[in-house]
Amino acid sequence: MSTRSEHLASWVSRLVQIPSVNPLHAGPRAGEVGEARLARSLAQWFADMGADSVELVDVVEGRPNVYGIWEGTSDRWVVLDVHTDTVTVEHCTGDPFDGRIADGRVYGRGAVDTKASLGVMLAVLERARGEGRRPVPNLVVVGSISEEAGGLLGARGFREWAERRGLRPDEVIVAEPTMCEPIHGHKGGASLEIEVKGLASHSANPHLGQNAITGAAALVLALDAENRRLQTLTPATEVGNGTLTVTLVRGGTGGNVVPDSCTITVGRRIAPGENNAEVVSQLKELVERECPLPVEFVRTHVGAPAFYRSPDSELVRRLAGWAGTQPAVAAYGTNALRYEGFADEMVVFGPGSIDNAHTAVEYVEIAQLELCADVFTEWLGLGS
Ligand SMILES: [Zn+2]
């Protein structure tokens, strides 16, 4: 391994060795859960690497975001947002936090999702510091909490923090494993929790009751038909059409009672061009029309619109050019959902493959770290 690849791999390994499992994914193997320990280490490293200011800001009690700011020599502001939490380790093979470097890879939970981007940025900044150089644009590196579960709270917290300071970034990179392809769009989401209301009776006399599960079953099939209809539309962009699916069902009180209540949850993925409020209100109309029994909307989550930028937008083109990759779209959602209307230029970008995320054996290829380091170096104006 070259000195440079060793340097990159060792930073990612160091980050993997600090467990930061999302508290909603806690389990016996997770150890100390939460992002705090990693955030405190990052604050120290940001300071070591010449950040002009470093802040730890609790988003939820005991779960801080960390912000490092490097003042540049231009008036542009660029942001790298990296989520500091990881998914569960309960299904991992071997020690999920050993950060083992072998076979041209760094192994362990978070190696690819998404400590790799953070490790690369730290290595690039450390190298620049050693050479007495600074990023040309003003740079904010954000370590954000709660991306994997709990509702993108860290991204929301960062945006509020930045807006209070009047900071409006010219460019935002949301770090996720994209094989260094600039992702310029993915779907948003909305959801509904619906209670179907029936009438209880003795199960020997079903005709005296109104079975809420049977009513919900008819509704579920109508929702499924609506999803099939959505797939026949011509998509507005490469991201594709919105989708709809029932994800949870709960109902019934006993084996000999006709159920008077059944609750279902419907997940709706929002395509670019769709308006969340309109989508949700049309979905509610459909539910009321198609359900044979009365319904109550227990929870309405209007959610976030899709993230979309043109594949020809400047940041997308520059990143693709430096990486030698093509713009692409993603099936999964990211912190980009919190930054619509905040940043003009935005992409989701980072080393390694999403196929190696959340798995029993997680790893990132060191060659991907090197490619990402080339791109970050150019992005920060640190190329030779
Ligand atoms: Zn991630």
Side-chain angles (χ1 to χ4, degrees), residues 48-308:
D48 293 346
M49 278 154 215
D52 295 287
S53 81
V54 178
E55 287 196 40
L56 282 163
V57 180
D58 264 6
V59 178
V60 177
E61 201 189 339
R63 297 178 66 193
N65 276 356
V66 56
Y67 309 129
I69 300 179
W70 285 257
E71 285 166 18
T73 51
S74 81
D75 56 5
R76 295 176 62 72
W77 281 89
V78 302
V79 172
L80 175 69
D81 168 24
V82 190
H83 67 82
T84 45
D85 60 328
T86 73
V87 296
T88 180
V89 294
E90 303 310 314
H91 62 289
C92 286
T93 313
D95 178 357
F97 303 120
D98 67 356
R100 187 165 51 95
I101 300 170
D103 327 314
R105 299 167 172 173
V106 183
Y107 288 88
R109 181 55 86 229
V112 76
D113 187 8
T114 217
K115 295 179 176 183
S117 296
L118 206 44
V120 169
M121 183 50 87
L122 286 164
V124 167
L125 290 168
E126 187 171 56
R127 184 146 173 248
R129 177 119 168 118
E131 294 168 349
R133 303 178 70 186
R134 296 183 62 81
V136 174
N138 301 288
L139 168 68
V140 189
V141 180
V142 179
S144 53
I145 70 158
S146 187
E147 192 275 343
E148 296 289 3
L152 313 182
L153 301 177
R156 189 164 69 197
F158 165 63
R159 181 177 180 160
E160 288 168 2
W161 178 89
E163 286 179 338
R164 276 199 302 276
R165 277 158 183 73
L167 191 163
R168 199 183 147 80
D170 296 284
E171 297 176 356
V172 172
I173 294 181
V174 173
E176 290 293 350
T178 73
M179 289 300 282
C180 294
E181 292 173 349
I183 300 294
H184 63 95
H186 59 63
K187 287 171 196 170
S191 63
L192 278 182
E193 195 176 323
I194 305 153
E195 184 186 1
V196 177
K197 290 175 169 300
L199 181 69
S201 69
H202 196 294
S203 64
N205 290 318
H207 63 284
L208 296 180
Q210 287 181 321
N211 192 317
I213 290 178
T214 307
L219 176 59
V220 168
L221 293 177
L223 290 166
D224 207 45
E226 171 62 2
N227 179 54
R228 286 195 301 275
R229 186 192 69 81
L230 287 172
Q231 303 325 304
T232 65
L233 304 176
T234 305
T237 71
E238 307 88 320
V239 176
N241 289 315
T243 63
L244 179 68
T245 194
V246 174
T247 52
L248 291 169
V249 62
R250 190 175 70 242
T253 50
N256 55 356
V257 182
V258 170
D260 66 351
S261 169
C262 181
T263 301
I264 63 169
T265 299
V266 185
R268 175 66 159 81
R269 296 285 167 145
I270 307 288
E274 289 188 311
N275 175 293
N276 287 56
E278 276 172 26
V279 164
V280 167
S281 86
Q282 285 167 10
L283 187 56
K284 284 182 170 180
E285 279 170 30
L286 181 141
V287 167
E288 283 173 329
R289 194 171 62 238
E290 298 292 336
C291 188
L293 291 174
V295 293
E296 186 185 321
F297 297 102
V298 182
R299 197 181 55 88
T300 300
H301 180 60
V302 175
F307 149 59
Y308 188 77

Side-chain angles (χ1 to χ4, degrees), residues 315-355:
L315 181 61
V316 174
R317 277 195 291 108
R318 277 155 61 217
L319 292 178
W322 292 326
T325 55
Q326 293 296 319
V329 294
Y332 50 85
T334 73
N335 275 350
L337 294 176
R338 290 285 175 268
Y339 299 142
E340 281 299 336
F342 173 55
D344 294 333
E345 298 270 347
M346 178 159 62
V347 302
V348 179
F349 179 89
S353 169
I354 194 77
D355 296 352

